[in-house]
Amino acid sequence: MSAAPDEHHEADVECIRRVRGGDPDAYGPVVRRALPQLRGLLWRFFKNADDADEFSQAALVRAYEQLDRYDATRPFYPWLRRIAVNLALHELEKRKRFARGEELELSLEREPASDRSDAVTQERELVEQTDRELDRMPPGWAAVFRLRCMEEMSYAEIAECLSIPVGTVMSRLARARCRLAEALAAEFGPRRKVSP
Amino acid sequence: MSEQDFTRPECARWRELLAQRVDQELEPEQERELNQHLEGCLACQGVASWIGEVDGLAAMATPEEIDEETLQKLEGQIMASVRRAAPRRPRRAVWRSVGIPTTAVAAVIALLTWMQTERNAELLEPPAPASLDRIEPREPEAQSLRKNEVQSEEPTKDGIASRDEGAAGALNEPVADVEAKSQSKSAEAFEEARRQSEVAAGDSDLGQSFRERADTPAPPAREIEANTPEEATPRPGGKLSDDARAYGQPVATVTTAAEEEQDSPMSLRSTLELAEREPSPDNLRRLLTLYDVRVSATKRDGAGRLRVLSSPSPTSGERAMSLEDSVRVYLLEVLRETEDEELRLELEEALRE
């Protein structure tokens, strides 16, 4: 799912022009076009609907308040996404600071892997393990990985979104992949072909 | 769970190459070296077997579907928030639209503040003893205003004069009245100093006496009451400001607010000091919030104008203004240096106007 729905650019710009002219209701169509994709992105960061909804709302309202800073020559969604990702990252970093102790307890309490008898169960476990490991790593690494793998953004787009150099994007992505691969290898041993 | 430890710091270079290989081809030499290493390293083999899979596994975590009804409800909530936010959507500041940096504007504000302070200081500068006679004709006016002032400081029904009421009352006065009041307070202060000098016979240098009085630590409130009981009786539950202590009379309550703010453990000043000492995101945000609240309140109730015009003391006016400027200058520095994008956005928003 690639971001930047350029086909909406002109419509977005027209609505935003009206908003800037003093018509807040003109923001409605912009919200409608951006919301599903934005919410999906934020769900990947938070893994729950409540947070995804709350931060979608926060990002869209924040974007509205800062519309004067939006460059209308560029697509709206990447600009909005940048605000949303930064809000999400800030929140995740805050939660991580407060939850270090709880995380340790949860990892100790976690039930051992099930019998892994069927491929579906095994695949679900792999996905869950990947998710857990993403949550454990520094939010900045996980954000780069999520934007690359889930949003299919280019290095340059990620760099712009997170305000970091492309080299940092590449190194964070490499570290995130290694961390995940190490965790999966430690949990499941070397990868074997999943039986069909 | 596998018994093997796959996290091997000594293999960091090879892990980096493994990760790079997911997105792009390695140089032939790097590829050859990596394969050579993999032949002899079971841990890296384990990691290599997974590293090409992790992108796909992560992408499998698909968001929960959102139905049309929920989507509409969410849109409604967002638009309601937008409509509430509409009046406060900041307009682009004029100086930004013409490319003047915010720092330059801050410098101009600081300069204007300093000039205002200098002006206040001039108003309070004690004249030479010979010139006191020229002040004399203003006494009736000073007395009249003093009378009004004492009336405005009378306790309310519950015995405590509200600070907001005081500020609101002062706001209702025309600016010219407030300025006149400020100037007449100067005359009143000189008159008071002159009376004191007459009591303290032999003190011929009235100017010096006045300066000493203004600069020396204030006597306890009880002592002030004893000296000028009809003027210096503090409000029940209230406290005297620097100005009151310096002149032996209660004055505008806004300066008292500045004192109270300074004394509070969570004051703007203490938060600024904390943030300078420990510039953590939390401390910076706390400072930003307090600054924002202060500036918003100033804009809302015109307290900034009051602080400058109604206070006869350059000390209190200068302190209140320079603290905000200090915070602003500090936050501008943070804005230039921070790598925290979210904090940067918040700072830009708060410092925009």
Side-chain angles (χ1 to χ4, degrees):
Chain A
M1 174 171 47
S2 182
D6 287 337
E7 67 269 26
H8 299 317
H9 179 55
E10 284 185 14
D12 284 342
V13 168
E14 173 56 24
C15 290
I16 289 165
R17 192 187 59 77
R18 285 168 51 205
V19 173
R20 283 171 168 169
D23 176 13
D25 289 337
Y27 196 55
V30 180
V31 171
R32 168 150 279 269
R33 283 190 284 271
L35 185 56
Q37 190 173 357
L38 186 71
R39 186 183 178 278
L41 168 72
L42 289 166
W43 188 92
R44 291 179 192 279
F45 277 79
F46 289 107
K47 302 292 164 33
N48 72 76
D50 287 346
D51 281 335
D53 290 350
E54 184 185 333
F55 280 83
S56 298
Q57 181 169 346
L60 279 158
V61 173
R62 175 71 65 93
Y64 173 81
E65 290 175 340
Q66 300 185 349
L67 271 184
D68 288 338
R69 296 166 59 189
Y70 165 61
D71 176 3
T73 62
R74 305 178 74 181
F76 175 74
Y77 183 77
W79 183 73
L80 171 66
R81 178 177 58 196
R82 178 177 168 161
I83 293 173
V85 167
N86 282 294
L87 282 174
L89 263 181
H90 172 61
E91 178 66 17
L92 288 170
E93 279 167 0
K94 194 168 71 179
R95 289 183 190 180
K96 206 173 178 70
R97 279 200 299 276
F98 287 111
R100 278 188 184 131
E102 289 176 27
E103 187 190 349
L104 180 64
E105 284 173 23
L106 282 175
S107 68
L108 293 174
E109 286 171 6
R110 191 160 51 83
E111 290 181 6
S114 61
D115 58 8
R116 303 175 188 166
S117 55
D118 66 79
V120 176
T121 308
Q122 189 178 356
E123 189 177 271
R124 195 168 60 234
E125 281 177 6
L126 289 173
V127 172
E128 286 173 0
Q129 177 69 12
T130 307
D131 254 0
R132 277 196 295 273
E133 206 53 42
L134 269 173
D135 289 341
R136 283 195 194 109
M137 69 176 64
W141 297 11
V144 169
F145 182 80
R146 286 187 171 113
L147 293 175
R148 174 72 179 168
C149 304
M150 303 173 185
E151 294 290 302
E152 299 177 5
M153 288 165 64
S154 68
Y155 291 164
E157 284 175 326
I158 297 170
E160 189 186 358
C161 181
L162 298 176
S163 302
I164 54 177
V166 170
T168 308
V169 172
M170 293 170 73
S171 63
R172 285 185 184 180
L173 185 61
R175 284 176 192 156
R177 280 178 174 148
C178 281
R179 179 76 71 89
L180 291 172
E182 285 167 6
L184 291 169
E187 182 73 19
F188 300 100
R191 174 68 157 158
R192 292 184 193 88
K193 202 75 179 169
V194 177
S195 53
Chain B
M1 187 179 293
S2 170
E3 295 296 315
Q4 193 174 351
D5 178 17
F6 288 88
T7 54
R8 288 166 58 94
E10 62 271 30
C11 292
R13 181 187 166 218
W14 308 113
R15 301 290 167 84
E16 199 175 320
L17 288 177
L18 280 171
Q20 276 183 26
R21 199 164 63 171
V22 175
D23 267 348
Q24 63 198 44
E25 284 188 4
L26 300 177
E27 296 291 325
E29 180 65 13
Q30 288 177 320
E31 184 75 35
R32 191 186 60 73
E33 285 178 359
L34 177 61
N35 287 334
Q36 200 173 1
H37 173 77
L38 284 172
E39 284 174 16
C41 180
L42 285 176
C44 283
Q45 283 177 26
V47 171
S49 70
W50 283 105
I51 206 158
E53 306 281 337
V54 293
D55 288 22
L57 288 170
M60 281 182 195
T62 48
E64 292 168 12
E65 289 293 323
I66 181 168
D67 57 74
E68 186 59 26
E69 191 183 343
T70 311
L71 198 61
Q72 282 181 0
K73 192 176 161 192
L74 188 54
E75 277 178 35
Q77 289 171 352
I78 291 168
M79 287 309 295
S81 298
V82 161
R83 286 183 199 105
R84 278 198 300 274
R88 68 167 190 269
R89 196 171 74 80
R91 290 184 181 279
R92 194 175 182 80
V94 173
W95 63 78
R96 284 173 70 97
S97 65
V98 295
I100 301 173
T102 309
T103 44
V105 176
V108 170
I109 291 170
L111 180 64
L112 290 173
T113 305
W114 177 77
M115 287 168 69
Q116 181 63 53
T117 304
E118 288 295 302
R119 183 169 166 269
N120 284 347
E122 281 173 17
L123 289 172
L124 283 171
E125 190 66 33
S131 69
L132 276 173
D133 293 337
R134 287 200 295 273
I135 297 174
E136 283 292 331
R138 297 180 70 176
E139 174 60 12
E141 180 200 357
Q143 274 182 344
S144 162
L145 280 162
R146 190 189 311 158
K147 188 179 171 188
N148 290 340
E149 206 175 301
V150 169
Q151 282 171 351
S152 74
E153 291 295 327
E154 279 178 4
T156 54
K157 275 181 198 169
D158 58 1
I160 298 171
S162 153
R163 185 171 71 219
D164 291 339
E165 284 168 7
L171 267 176
N172 290 332
E173 294 177 13
V175 173
D177 288 355
V178 178
E179 282 179 325
K181 189 172 168 182
S182 174
Q183 289 179 4
S184 68
K185 273 188 180 172
S186 306
E188 193 179 337
F190 298 145
E191 174 61 18
E192 169 67 13
R194 194 177 65 81
R195 272 206 309 272
Q196 292 293 325
S197 69
E198 283 171 2
V199 171
D203 186 357
S204 59
D205 188 351
L206 183 57
Q208 185 186 348
S209 168
F210 175 80
R211 272 198 207 92
E212 282 171 1
R213 180 165 175 76
D215 292 341
T216 47
R222 199 177 300 157
E223 198 177 314
I224 295 172
E225 274 184 59
N227 288 342
T228 53
E230 74 285 2
E231 290 179 346
T233 307
R235 297 188 309 273
K239 63 179 185 180
L240 290 168
S241 68
D242 281 348
D243 311 308
R245 285 193 287 268
Y247 305 129
Q249 59 184 295
V251 291
T253 51
V254 176
T255 55
T256 308
E259 276 192 334
E260 286 168 357
E261 199 278 337
Q262 188 187 26
D263 293 343
S264 160
M266 288 309 292
S267 70
L268 189 61
R269 184 180 297 279
S270 63
T271 310
L272 170 64
E273 287 166 0
L274 179 64
E276 285 177 329
R277 213 168 41 244
E278 297 171 29
S280 67
D282 283 346
N283 287 344
L284 291 170
R285 284 198 172 82
R286 198 169 293 129
L287 176 64
L288 186 58
T289 304
L290 284 177
Y291 172 77
D292 204 25
V293 167
R294 170 74 78 91
V295 171
S296 301
T298 303
K299 284 178 186 165
R300 191 176 56 248
D301 62 22
R305 183 169 67 94
L306 272 176
R307 264 200 295 276
V308 174
L309 296 179
S310 73
S311 167
S313 159
T315 312
S316 57
E318 180 185 22
R319 185 176 57 209
M321 294 301 286
S322 68
L323 173 60
E324 287 164 9
D325 288 337
S326 300
V327 173
R328 185 178 182 86
V329 168
Y330 175 68
L331 290 174
L332 284 168
E333 281 174 17
V334 173
L335 174 63
R336 277 197 299 275
E337 292 172 8
T338 185
E339 293 178 358
D340 183 333
E341 178 63 12
E342 174 58 20
L343 180 62
R344 195 175 65 77
L345 289 173
E346 289 174 22
L347 284 165
E348 283 182 355
E349 188 180 356
L351 298 174
R352 176 184 303 200
E353 294 295 338

